[in-house]
């Protein structure tokens, strides 16, 4: 294949526009030139890439494959331009890091801050996503490092334990369950919960286990952070399930009772995952080593 970036950009634009004319215009190319390029790509591959009709065009199976990979190549080129531009601004490297909610709020700030302090000319693109989306992004090469729950499938990736991240049941000190040493979800599923906002991967994880019991969680209020959950629970508004690290760091700790959950899924680890350590850019490899320096031992 002898495709160049213009061919790839043109083909993506054609598929997005639904017509060769529209794709040509978006690529700032004449219709004749665009048509000739598409025909050349089809000749080179020996197969049709587009199904043509009076209503426009649609990609064939081969066309779907091409547009998928074309988008990845174009995204990588945009990142390459951005990162090379940062060298001109005095930076020496750029790392793309995706993490789940618990890692973002409880475990990464100190570790990442220490790394950046030691490497003042490295920049980090940090984004919070759900663990399942993160492993998909790592597999697709859209980020360097992902921090995810060990509940997701990381097959095909290299993964390492980053931090222990157990979930605990929290109640106010005066709650009827406050003296319990351990509770099962089935025992508390009918309580009125303080939960995270809709769409939170962790809250969806807990709700999934409730549904497996044939029940639905009853939310009295849903908030945007673990700290807000802890504060509401401390006021007796309801009960909650949060990472133990979040409860331990809460300003409301003295008004809370943390009770271990008697479920295997509540005892969990956060994993740092990459496609392959040996192919990581130097600064991403350095960051991974730094993040794993204080990783807990796993028996």
């Amino acid at each position: 294949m002898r495709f160049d970036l213009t061919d790839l950009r043109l083909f993506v634009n054609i598929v997005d526009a639904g017509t060769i004319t529209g794709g040509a215009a978006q690529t700032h190319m004449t219709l004749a030139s665009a048509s000739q390029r598409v025909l050349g790509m089809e000749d080179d591959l020996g197969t049709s890439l587009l199904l043509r009709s009076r209503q426009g065009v649609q990609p064939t199976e081969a066309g779907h494959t091409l547009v998928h990979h074309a988008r990845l190549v174009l995204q990588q080129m945009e990142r390459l331009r951005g990162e090379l531009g940062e060298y001109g601004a005095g930076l020496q490297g750029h790392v793309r890091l995706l993490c789940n909610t618990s890692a973002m709020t409880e475990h990464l700030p100190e570790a990442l801050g220490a790394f950046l302090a030691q490497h003042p000319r490295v920049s980090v693109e940090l984004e919070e996503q759900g663990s399942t989306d993160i492993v998909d992004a790592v597999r697709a090469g859209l980020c360097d490092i992902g921090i995810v729950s060990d509940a997701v499938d990381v097959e095909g990736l290299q993964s390492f334990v980053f931090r222990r991240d157990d979930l605990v049941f929290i109640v106010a000190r005066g709650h009827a369950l406050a003296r319990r040493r351990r509770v099962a979800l089935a025992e508390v599923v009918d309580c009125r919960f303080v939960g995270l906002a809709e769409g939170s991967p962790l809250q969806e994880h807990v709700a999934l286990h409730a549904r497996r019991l044939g029940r639905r969680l009853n939310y009295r209020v849903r908030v945007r952070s673990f700290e807000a959950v802890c504060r509401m629970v401390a006021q007796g508004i309801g009960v909650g399930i949060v990472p133990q690290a979040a409860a331990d760091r809460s300003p409301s700790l003295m008004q809370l009772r943390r009770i271990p959950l008697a479920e295997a899924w509540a005892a969990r680890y956060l994993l740092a995952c990459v496609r392959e350590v040996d192919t990581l850019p130097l600064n991403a490899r350095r960051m991974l080593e730094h993040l794993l320096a204080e990783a807990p031992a796993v028996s």
Side-chain angles (χ1 to χ4, degrees), residues 92-266:
Q92 290 183 331
H94 184 84
V95 181
R96 298 177 298 278
L97 174 63
L98 299 182
C99 63
N100 66 7
T101 303
S102 185
M104 173 74 88
T105 60
E106 305 303 325
H107 301 286
L108 266 179
E110 291 183 3
L112 188 57
F115 175 82
L116 292 172
Q118 294 171 17
H119 301 83
R121 299 180 69 186
V122 174
S123 65
V124 176
E125 180 183 338
L126 177 63
E127 184 177 343
E128 178 184 341
Q129 292 188 19
S131 292
T132 300
D133 292 334
I134 293 171
V135 294
D136 288 343
V138 175
R139 289 189 181 109
L142 301 179
C143 69
D144 298 307
I145 304 170
I147 308 293
V148 301
S149 162
D150 63 357
V152 299
D153 180 10
V154 293
E155 184 179 358
L157 302 176
Q158 289 186 279
S159 62
F160 311 88
V161 171
F162 169 57
R163 294 290 187 272
R164 183 80 184 241
D165 193 50
D166 292 348
L167 299 177
V168 294
F169 181 69
I170 57 171
V171 296
R173 285 280 177 179
H175 195 278
L177 295 170
R179 294 184 178 275
R180 293 287 299 274
R181 293 187 176 182
R182 198 174 185 84
V183 297
L185 182 61
E187 298 177 274
V188 301
V189 72
D190 291 326
C191 293
R192 302 189 73 183
F193 274 78
V194 177
L196 291 173
E198 189 171 355
S200 161
L202 186 142
Q203 199 65 58
E204 290 300 317
H205 180 62
V206 176
L208 171 64
H209 288 286
R211 289 195 296 273
R212 288 175 176 171
L213 296 171
R215 312 299 284 274
R216 296 179 67 87
L217 293 181
N218 176 18
Y219 296 107
R220 190 173 182 196
V221 64
R222 302 184 73 160
V223 293
R224 290 196 165 274
S225 69
F226 295 131
E227 181 179 344
V229 172
C230 292
R231 291 173 65 183
M232 287 279 193
V233 170
Q235 294 176 62
I237 304 303
V239 302
I241 294 177
V242 298
Q244 182 169 335
D248 290 346
R249 297 182 192 216
S250 171
S252 305
L253 178 60
M254 298 303 294
Q255 288 79 47
L256 289 175
R257 177 81 169 87
R258 295 154 294 166
I259 306 172
L261 283 161
E263 262 86 20
W265 53 263

